[in-house]
Amino acid sequence: MNITQDKVVELDYTLTVDGEVIDQSESGEPLTYLHGHSNIIPGLERALEGKAAGESLQVTVAPEDGYGERDEDNVEELSLEDFEDDVEIGATYYAQAEDGSVMPFSVMAVEGDRVQVDFNPPLAGMTLNFDVKVLSVRDATAEELEHGHAHADGDHNHE
Ligand SMILES: [Zn+2]
């Protein structure tokens, strides 16, 4: 079976940027996603189209097909008072937008009571190199299609 729209795919991956490993699936804990539903970044999803279980591939994803370009307008200054906890440079915090959505940001610098923060995704502007091995391909269940994501065994809770 090949990867096409509405298939559920299990894969092992290693993500490197400039030769440094940024992220990888743990042994025995593959990434599971629903193909064709933008569950993963566009460049990787496109490269996986038509592949079958057992195939390995190397994919280079440019920023525009990954996490986008960096936008310096997304670098902002907050006040130290805005933070409930201690502020740690490099750490990720979460802000609640007016519409209720949660926006992650990282702290770049602290000067006095001014905190410089970055709302860009950490991998924005970076060229991503994926080493991918396709482990399995199956049809999605009706429930998965309804939800728009894959249900891996035991890691998805429904209310
Ligand atoms: Zn679900």
Side-chain angles (χ1 to χ4, degrees):
M1 186 178 282
N2 293 69
I3 299 174
T4 53
Q5 180 72 31
D6 297 342
K7 299 296 186 208
V8 172
V9 182
E10 269 190 327
L11 50 85
D12 276 335
Y13 71 94
T14 301
L15 167 59
T16 55
V17 173
D18 294 334
E20 190 185 337
V21 175
I22 301 292
D23 191 20
Q24 61 192 125
S25 50
E26 302 287 333
S27 172
E29 291 176 36
L31 171 73
T32 306
Y33 81 96
L34 178 60
H35 191 80
H37 292 258
S38 301
N39 289 175
I40 61 174
I41 57 171
L44 186 57
E45 186 162 59
R46 206 179 306 137
L48 283 160
E49 177 81 25
K51 299 289 187 271
E55 283 192 66
S56 294
L57 57 156
Q58 289 181 328
V59 188
T60 300
V61 178
E64 63 263 32
D65 292 322
Y67 292 93
E69 299 287 354
R70 274 187 63 80
D71 181 351
E72 293 309 320
D73 288 344
N74 290 335
V75 175
E76 295 177 22
E77 254 193 11
L78 300 178
S79 165
L80 207 50
E81 291 169 11
D82 297 330
F83 291 81
E84 291 171 14
D85 305 315
D86 288 344
V87 175
E88 197 183 322
I89 291 168
T92 300
Y93 296 85
Y94 299 89
Q96 189 146 21
E98 278 171 20
D99 66 0
S101 65
V102 173
M103 301 165 60
F105 64 90
S106 60
V107 170
M108 299 170 75
V110 181
E111 252 188 59
D113 69 343
R114 310 303 300 166
V115 183
Q116 193 180 39
V117 302
D118 187 357
F119 282 90
N120 285 294
L123 295 175
M126 295 188 184
T127 297
L128 312 173
N129 298 288
F130 288 93
D131 270 306
V132 178
K133 178 156 195 203
V134 180
L135 301 178
S136 73
V137 182
R138 66 168 168 83
D139 288 318
T141 64
E143 190 185 46
E144 285 172 323
L145 289 177
E146 195 180 310
H147 292 187
H149 55 226
H151 292 166
D153 288 345
D155 74 351
H156 188 84
N157 292 317
H158 289 287
E159 287 157 13

